[in-house]
Amino acid sequence: MSGQSLLVPGEISPVRSVPGNVRRPEYVGKPGPTPYTGPEIQDSDTVERMRVAGRIAAQAMEEAAKHIAPGVTTDELDRVAHEFMVDHGAYPSTLGYRGFPKSLCTSVNEVICHGIPDTTVLRDGDIVNLDVTAYINGVHGDNNATYLCGDVDEESRLLVERTRESLNRAIKAVRPGRQINVIGRVIESYAKRFGYGVVRDFTGHGINTSFHSGLIVPHYDSPHATTVMKPGMTFTIEPMLTLGTHEYDMWDDGWTVLTKDRKRTAQFEHTLVVTETGADILTLP
């Protein structure tokens, strides 16, 4: 594995502004969101609005990813994604969500998820996950992907490639009538072939007018995830695979989650809707 030194927290820049004409989610300016009490099954109008939000999120992620290179700060990636979303009339869903100060998450190397963009400078050989969610027309679209920065070692490159494949396999397992835990079963069985850890405490989730509806989508074979998938259900699948343990630590910022053994980790995510025959991905650029 790469011999990169471990990450340390950087300095966080001031909160970026959002034009007043861009609609905010209800939780902005509050300690947390109002609990979602609506249905997990969405009507076709909501799904189509989510497709628009998902497309903007995917395009913003792609635009930020173009700037990944040694010497670039994670705060610069945040600036690019932020400006793309607001220029397209969307609010960056993470900005102000439970106090999160930035417009996307940047999780580098041993960071599992929820890394805060700051003055951290990307280095040759790093891997970096960008997690981007856009809110527009009253709904959210959420996606993430892990990218290579410069010349990345083979072990890390394979981890990234196989994590992407675990998401693809999980999406193909979605069928109405099946329980949610088939998703985790597929991911975990694939990851075990390579001796990877599968993060358990951070999961996929229901998403619609709510950023996190309360529906939980584990990425391991959980006997408790017995919710039956039905057409119109909207949720994310976002497996986090590690080169070592699935256990984690958290920085004092209350957000940044790292592998306990500080080995590298990768993640990929799509928002999707269950159809009559499978799944339709809503976060396509």
Side-chain angles (χ1 to χ4, degrees), residues 45-59:
D45 173 69
T46 303
V47 170
E48 290 312 306
R49 285 186 285 131
M50 290 180 65
R51 196 184 305 277
V52 172
R55 182 183 308 122
I56 292 172
Q59 291 172 340

Side-chain angles (χ1 to χ4, degrees), residues 4 20 50 72 103 113 151 157 179 212 233 251 268 271 284:
Q4 297 280 42
M50 290 180 65
V72 174
S103 298
C113 58
D151 185 17
R157 188 189 63 76
Q179 293 182 344
H212 299 87
M233 289 180 68
W251 277 350
F268 284 84
T271 295
L284 294 176

Side-chain angles (χ1 to χ4, degrees), residues 169 184-194 198 219 221:
R169 290 175 179 233
R185 188 175 308 134
V186 166
I187 292 168
E188 188 172 41
S189 63
Y190 179 71
K192 279 184 175 179
R193 288 167 50 181
F194 311 104
V198 181
H219 302 122
D221 188 4

Side-chain angles (χ1 to χ4, degrees), residues 7 13 101 168:
L7 293 167
S13 65
N168 293 339

Side-chain angles (χ1 to χ4, degrees), residues 30-80:
K30 299 179 181 178
T34 302
Y36 179 71
T37 57
E40 296 295 348
I41 297 172
Q42 307 305 311
D43 59 29
S44 59
D45 173 69
T46 303
V47 170
E48 290 312 306
R49 285 186 285 131
M50 290 180 65
R51 196 184 305 277
V52 172
R55 182 183 308 122
I56 292 172
Q59 291 172 340
M61 184 175 72
E62 280 196 341
E63 193 62 32
K66 292 176 184 176
H67 294 76
I68 292 173
V72 174
T73 66
T74 55
D75 187 66
E76 173 64 8
L77 304 180
D78 180 78
R79 182 194 65 79
V80 173

Side-chain angles (χ1 to χ4, degrees), residues 23-30 32-36 135 140 209-210:
R23 179 179 173 185
R24 273 84 166 145
E26 59 83 23
Y27 52 74
V28 174
K30 299 179 181 178
T34 302
Y36 179 71
Y135 176 80
H140 301 267
T209 58
S210 173

Side-chain angles (χ1 to χ4, degrees), residues 1 7 36 44 66 74 92 94 103 106 113 119 139 142 144-146 154 169 178 227 230 234 237-238 254 280 285:
M1 192 183 76
L7 293 167
Y36 179 71
S44 59
K66 292 176 184 176
T74 55
T94 60
S103 298
T106 50
C113 58
T119 54
V139 296
D142 185 3
N144 77 54
T146 302
E154 180 73 357
R169 290 175 179 233
R178 290 181 175 175
T227 299
K230 299 177 182 178
T234 49
I237 303 175
E238 45 189 297
D280 185 11

Side-chain angles (χ1 to χ4, degrees), residues 3 7 12 26-27 64 70 77 107-108 110 112 131 145 151 173 206 212 222 236 275 277-278 283 285:
L7 293 167
I12 300 173
E26 59 83 23
Y27 52 74
L77 304 180
S107 301
V108 180
E110 66 268 21
I112 295 171
D131 192 340
D151 185 17
H212 299 87
S222 169
T236 72
T275 67
T277 57
T283 38

